[in-house]
Amino acid sequence: MNYSIGRYVKTLELDKILELLANEASLADSKELARAILPETDIALVEKTLKETEDAYTFMSRYTAPSFGFASNVSSPLRRAQSSAVLSPRELLDIAETLRVIRSIKDWRSDCSGLTETTIDYLFDTLFPNKYLEEKIVFAIKSEDEISDNASSALYDIRRKIIAKSGKIRDILDKIVHGPTAKYLQEAIVTQRDGRFVVPLKVEHKGQLGGIVHDTSATGSTIFIEPMSVVETNNEIRVLRLREQEEIERILAELSAEAGNFADTIISSYNALVKLNFIFAKAHLAYKMKAIVPKINNKGETYLKNARHPLIHYKSVVPITVGLGKDYNTLVITGPNTGGKTVTLKTIGLLTLMTMCGLMIPCDDGSFVAVYEKVFADIGDEQSIEQSLSTFSSHMVNIISILENADSNSLVLFDELCAGTDPVEGAALAKAILMRLASFGAKVAATTHYPELKSYAIDTEGVENASCEFDVATLKPTYRLIIGMPGRSNAFAISKRLGLAEDIIENAKEQVSDEDMRFERVVAALERARSSAEREQQRVRKLRAELDASKRKAEQREHELETERQKLMDKTRETANGIIEAARYKSGLLLNELEELKKSLNAENAASMAEKARAAYKSTLKELEETADPVTEKTVSGEAVTNIKKGDIVVVADIGRDATVIDVKENKKQAYVMSGSIKMWVEFDNLRKKKGSQSTEIKKTRKVTGMQSRATREVSGELDIRGMASDEAIMELDSYIDNAIVSGLETIRIIHGKGTGVLRQSVQAHLRTHKAIKSYRLGTFGEGENGVTIAELK
């Protein structure tokens, strides 16, 4: 008996999947290709088709799917065009639309530049756009009933003449319709008969208007006459119409010849379109099924993780996890009726066949599927009335065929193996059949109610039990598949829950053999142990989930704190920049005031001016100190200093910073200290003696007659002259150097920017000859580089 895998396509409902696939295709030929595919037994070809589907799925997920428009199979008209046949406008428009789709698909692939070297690129490379022919057809043909006036200059000229002569005829006939003869007409209109212009004349006035009669009304009361004055012009129009038709035929023949010249490339491109549309239909179906690409092998090993039957709605289907061919070759599935045993069998078989068709399957990552040479299935009632076969006989005929053809590279699926006959004989036959298939090395999954097969699975290596779970409390199946656990009949429990008398149930239990009862008790104990272990596992999973949630919450909180810290740092940095800018501005105002005082200084007002300068300086400095130190007040333990002198290292209590004493006012109990670059007057009460500190000698400051000393004067250590003209910058630089000398600075930083280098050259040329400058250099990395000059004062 010959074996054909196609025989079991309908049994396992693959035909329904292929119909769903056909519905996802847009081209008629792609739909037929989808309906006609059969499972492939060559693992290399299966791997290739799966990879094509996966690549199309990747294209869709990144760029959406391409549109195949209204392309159609134009092979027949193109072959006729090759044989010099003239195609109809409809056929030529179909060719143009197909060419448009070919061009758009080719352009779509070019736009998907992020994906390179896919397994379906050979199909895209087979597409040959022909925009020249496409546009030529569309330009010449408006619709299947109309050729464009501009299809040729001759056609344009002919139609222009027809319009002109038709207008001339209408003018003549209008005069007749509205002239003295209008009273002889049935209606004051101009119409056409057989393509010639006529007027409706009352039949009794036939002699009043000379001409040719072309038609008569249904009642006979009206005749349609062509006046002699327009006969000649109508004849000319008739000739022009014939010439128009000849020109249209010539245009169609020319376009057909052009199409015939490109027939081979258009046909090959269309065939590539059909294959691409078919592959993208598989990707569309996979997307709807939430499918994945399983790993494949030819070792007979299958593992389906959370597999879902694709024909059951995703909201209703209960996923199953099942394996076959690795730890065991035979799986015996037991459980109550309507519990999901048959669905489990069909899920295994259907997903295997789908994989062998190059389709992605609805299960989770980590699944793998074996590619078999033969797939057999004995599922459902195949009773043949014509052959007078019973249900058992019908199944046995199929089983015999399976036993004759099965081998080590076969998948065999039995639903209710050897049911429908004497239970004792049926169980023995079923066991013998499974043993024979096991000797072949075939991979077998069978459903049964026979307890003998449960015992066989427990006692035999390479055979495993599985059960479809049933909730006795609710009398409903859960459809969960449990590997390693035989199913129970639950007949007594179900009957009791439904209200069967207790004495009847007890009497029935007495009829069951002690061995069967012991087996049921063992199964029940295993079921309780499994349920307990599962509850414990669920509790562990819950605790782990809570732990993971707490961890994620802690990580999220840490991230939020880090974000808040970064925001606070940014805000603090922004505030500090604002403080610096304000300090610079007020320092500049103070310098300007000092310059004005310097200009107005003379012997008579020196004392009063000096006092005024000190007051202004102290007021501004105090304001700068308060602005530049927006830190909340701190306290440092220890006693306040009472005996302090220049050079001492102290701690400023309210800010907690070290400082060096520069000057002391014993009478006011104040010390002028420097902390970093900040100088300030501090009360003795706010100072603490730093442990282990030694006095530092204070350098003598320059003496400038009539000006404030270095101890009471402060100038910024840098000058920003960017954007100034050279002359203006040099004047600003001189003034700044004078102030820096007065303030006792030893090094200054001049910011002139990089730009064209003109300002930098002017500054350095001036510094080279300045008497107060000891040396100068460009800034280094971190100092501003070529945009800054650092100068040392003498």
Side-chain angles (χ1 to χ4, degrees), residues 409-635:
N409 202 358
S410 299
L411 172 65
V412 184
L413 305 171
F414 289 123
D415 187 27
E416 299 297 345
L417 179 60
C418 292
T421 187
D422 178 76
V424 176
E425 294 180 356
L429 273 174
K431 182 177 177 180
I433 290 168
L434 293 181
M435 292 174 69
R436 174 60 63 88
L437 290 171
S439 69
F440 294 160
K443 312 303 178 290
V444 183
T447 67
T448 184
H449 284 286
Y450 293 139
E452 291 84 355
L453 293 188
K454 302 177 189 178
S455 301
Y456 167 68
I458 292 174
D459 298 335
T460 308
E461 185 178 355
V463 183
E464 185 62 271
N465 269 304
S467 62
C468 291
E469 189 179 53
F470 187 86
D471 190 343
V472 180
T474 61
L475 299 181
K476 291 182 180 179
T478 66
Y479 303 105
R480 291 181 58 210
L481 183 69
I482 303 168
I483 304 295
M485 176 68 65
R488 298 174 59 196
S489 64
N490 293 310
F492 294 149
I494 294 173
S495 300
K496 185 176 181 180
R497 288 279 298 172
L498 293 175
L500 187 64
E502 185 72 27
D503 59 329
I504 297 176
I505 294 174
E506 290 300 324
N507 189 11
K509 287 181 179 180
E510 292 175 1
Q511 308 304 317
V512 180
S513 67
D514 291 341
E515 183 179 348
D516 289 341
M517 287 300 295
R518 281 197 301 271
F519 182 80
E520 284 294 322
R521 284 195 292 270
V522 169
V523 172
L526 287 173
E527 176 65 20
R528 286 193 297 271
R530 182 197 64 80
S531 299
S532 176
E534 191 172 78
R535 286 193 298 271
E536 183 64 23
Q537 189 178 28
Q538 288 177 350
R539 191 179 71 83
V540 171
R541 280 200 296 265
K542 183 179 179 181
L543 290 174
R544 184 175 297 160
E546 291 174 354
L547 181 61
D548 290 342
S550 298
K551 183 180 177 182
R552 286 193 300 270
K553 188 175 181 180
E555 290 175 348
Q556 182 178 358
R557 181 56 182 161
E558 183 180 357
H559 175 71
E560 290 174 354
L561 289 174
E562 176 61 24
T563 303
E564 290 176 4
R565 188 189 70 82
Q566 191 61 44
K567 288 181 179 178
L568 183 60
M569 289 290 292
D570 292 341
K571 185 175 181 181
T572 303
R573 192 175 293 110
E574 183 180 348
T575 303
N577 289 335
I579 292 171
I580 292 170
E581 289 300 321
R584 284 178 177 169
Y585 173 73
K586 292 186 178 182
S587 296
L589 292 178
L590 182 58
L591 285 173
N592 289 337
E593 290 179 11
L594 291 175
E595 284 299 318
E596 293 297 326
L597 290 172
K598 182 179 177 181
K599 292 176 182 177
S600 60
L601 185 63
N602 54 51
E604 295 178 357
N605 63 5
S608 62
M609 285 293 183
E611 187 59 35
K612 184 178 180 181
R614 288 191 190 94
Y617 170 75
K618 290 176 182 178
S619 174
T620 305
L621 184 60
K622 183 65 176 177
E623 187 178 348
L624 288 174
E625 287 172 356
E626 292 174 354
T627 304
D629 186 27
V631 183
T632 56
E633 187 173 301
K634 299 180 181 179
T635 59

